[in-house]
Short mmCIF file of all heavy atoms in Angstrom, two decimals:
data_model
loop_
_atom_site.label_atom_id
_atom_site.label_comp_id
_atom_site.label_asym_id
_atom_site.label_seq_id
_atom_site.Cartn_x
_atom_site.Cartn_y
_atom_site.Cartn_z
N SER A 381 12.19 -8.81 23.63
CA SER A 381 13.39 -8.02 23.35
C SER A 381 13.78 -8.14 21.87
O SER A 381 13.70 -9.21 21.28
CB SER A 381 14.54 -8.52 24.22
OG SER A 381 15.75 -7.99 23.72
N SER A 382 14.19 -7.01 21.29
CA SER A 382 14.60 -7.05 19.87
C SER A 382 15.91 -7.81 19.71
O SER A 382 16.33 -8.10 18.60
CB SER A 382 14.72 -5.63 19.33
OG SER A 382 15.53 -4.86 20.17
N ARG A 383 16.56 -8.12 20.87
CA ARG A 383 17.82 -8.88 20.78
C ARG A 383 17.60 -10.39 20.88
O ARG A 383 18.55 -11.16 20.75
CB ARG A 383 18.77 -8.43 21.89
CG ARG A 383 19.23 -7.02 21.64
CD ARG A 383 20.40 -6.63 22.49
NE ARG A 383 20.68 -5.23 22.23
CZ ARG A 383 20.99 -4.35 23.15
NH1 ARG A 383 21.11 -4.74 24.40
NH2 ARG A 383 21.22 -3.11 22.84
N ALA A 384 16.36 -10.78 21.13
CA ALA A 384 16.07 -12.23 21.23
C ALA A 384 16.40 -12.90 19.90
O ALA A 384 16.32 -12.27 18.85
CB ALA A 384 14.60 -12.42 21.56
N ALA A 385 16.78 -14.16 19.98
CA ALA A 385 17.17 -14.89 18.77
C ALA A 385 16.06 -14.83 17.73
O ALA A 385 14.88 -15.02 18.07
CB ALA A 385 17.47 -16.34 19.13
N ARG A 386 16.44 -14.58 16.47
CA ARG A 386 15.42 -14.42 15.41
C ARG A 386 15.02 -15.79 14.85
O ARG A 386 15.19 -16.05 13.66
CB ARG A 386 15.96 -13.52 14.32
CG ARG A 386 16.10 -12.07 14.76
CD ARG A 386 16.54 -11.21 13.60
NE ARG A 386 15.95 -9.88 13.72
CZ ARG A 386 15.52 -9.15 12.70
NH1 ARG A 386 15.58 -9.64 11.48
NH2 ARG A 386 15.03 -7.95 12.88
N THR A 387 14.51 -16.63 15.72
CA THR A 387 14.11 -17.97 15.28
C THR A 387 12.61 -18.00 15.03
O THR A 387 11.91 -17.02 15.26
CB THR A 387 14.42 -19.00 16.37
OG1 THR A 387 13.68 -18.62 17.54
CG2 THR A 387 15.89 -19.05 16.72
N ARG A 388 12.12 -19.16 14.60
CA ARG A 388 10.68 -19.27 14.34
C ARG A 388 9.87 -19.26 15.63
O ARG A 388 8.69 -18.97 15.62
CB ARG A 388 10.40 -20.56 13.56
CG ARG A 388 9.77 -20.24 12.22
CD ARG A 388 9.34 -21.46 11.50
NE ARG A 388 10.43 -22.01 10.69
CZ ARG A 388 10.35 -23.14 10.03
NH1 ARG A 388 9.29 -23.89 10.11
NH2 ARG A 388 11.37 -23.56 9.30
N ALA A 389 10.55 -19.57 16.75
CA ALA A 389 9.83 -19.58 18.03
C ALA A 389 9.63 -18.16 18.56
O ALA A 389 8.82 -17.94 19.46
CB ALA A 389 10.62 -20.40 19.04
N ASN A 390 10.36 -17.21 18.01
CA ASN A 390 10.25 -15.82 18.45
C ASN A 390 8.88 -15.26 18.03
O ASN A 390 8.51 -15.36 16.86
CB ASN A 390 11.39 -15.02 17.78
CG ASN A 390 11.47 -13.60 18.30
OD1 ASN A 390 10.46 -12.99 18.64
ND2 ASN A 390 12.68 -13.07 18.33
N PRO A 391 8.11 -14.65 18.97
CA PRO A 391 6.79 -14.12 18.58
C PRO A 391 6.88 -13.05 17.49
O PRO A 391 5.89 -12.75 16.84
CB PRO A 391 6.24 -13.53 19.88
CG PRO A 391 7.04 -14.14 20.97
CD PRO A 391 8.39 -14.48 20.41
N LEU A 392 8.08 -12.46 17.32
CA LEU A 392 8.23 -11.47 16.25
C LEU A 392 8.68 -12.11 14.93
O LEU A 392 9.02 -11.40 13.98
CB LEU A 392 9.24 -10.38 16.67
CG LEU A 392 8.78 -9.46 17.81
CD1 LEU A 392 9.86 -8.43 18.10
CD2 LEU A 392 7.48 -8.75 17.46
N PHE A 393 8.66 -13.43 14.88
CA PHE A 393 9.06 -14.11 13.64
C PHE A 393 8.33 -13.58 12.40
O PHE A 393 8.95 -13.35 11.36
CB PHE A 393 8.85 -15.63 13.76
CG PHE A 393 8.95 -16.33 12.42
CD1 PHE A 393 10.19 -16.54 11.82
CD2 PHE A 393 7.80 -16.72 11.74
CE1 PHE A 393 10.28 -17.14 10.58
CE2 PHE A 393 7.89 -17.34 10.49
CZ PHE A 393 9.13 -17.54 9.91
N PRO A 394 6.99 -13.34 12.47
CA PRO A 394 6.29 -12.86 11.26
C PRO A 394 6.89 -11.58 10.69
O PRO A 394 7.06 -11.46 9.48
CB PRO A 394 4.86 -12.62 11.74
CG PRO A 394 4.74 -13.43 12.99
CD PRO A 394 6.09 -13.52 13.60
N VAL A 395 7.20 -10.61 11.56
CA VAL A 395 7.77 -9.36 11.03
C VAL A 395 9.24 -9.54 10.64
O VAL A 395 9.70 -8.94 9.67
CB VAL A 395 7.61 -8.16 12.01
CG1 VAL A 395 6.29 -7.48 11.81
CG2 VAL A 395 7.82 -8.55 13.43
N ASN A 396 9.95 -10.40 11.38
CA ASN A 396 11.34 -10.67 10.99
C ASN A 396 11.39 -11.34 9.61
O ASN A 396 12.26 -11.05 8.80
CB ASN A 396 12.02 -11.58 12.02
CG ASN A 396 12.19 -10.88 13.36
OD1 ASN A 396 12.19 -9.65 13.42
ND2 ASN A 396 12.32 -11.65 14.42
N TYR A 397 10.41 -12.21 9.38
CA TYR A 397 10.32 -12.90 8.08
C TYR A 397 10.07 -11.89 6.96
O TYR A 397 10.71 -11.92 5.92
CB TYR A 397 9.18 -13.94 8.17
CG TYR A 397 8.84 -14.61 6.86
CD1 TYR A 397 9.69 -15.56 6.30
CD2 TYR A 397 7.68 -14.29 6.18
CE1 TYR A 397 9.37 -16.18 5.11
CE2 TYR A 397 7.35 -14.90 4.98
CZ TYR A 397 8.20 -15.85 4.45
OH TYR A 397 7.90 -16.45 3.26
N LEU A 398 9.13 -10.96 7.21
CA LEU A 398 8.84 -9.94 6.21
C LEU A 398 10.06 -9.05 5.97
O LEU A 398 10.34 -8.67 4.83
CB LEU A 398 7.66 -9.09 6.68
CG LEU A 398 6.35 -9.25 5.90
CD1 LEU A 398 6.51 -8.86 4.45
CD2 LEU A 398 5.83 -10.68 5.96
#
Side-chain angles (χ1 to χ4, degrees):
S381 166
S382 51
R383 292 194 185 139
R386 290 184 146 217
T387 60
R388 240 187 272 175
N390 187 327
L392 292 181
F393 167 76
V395 273
N396 293 338
Y397 173 73
L398 250 298

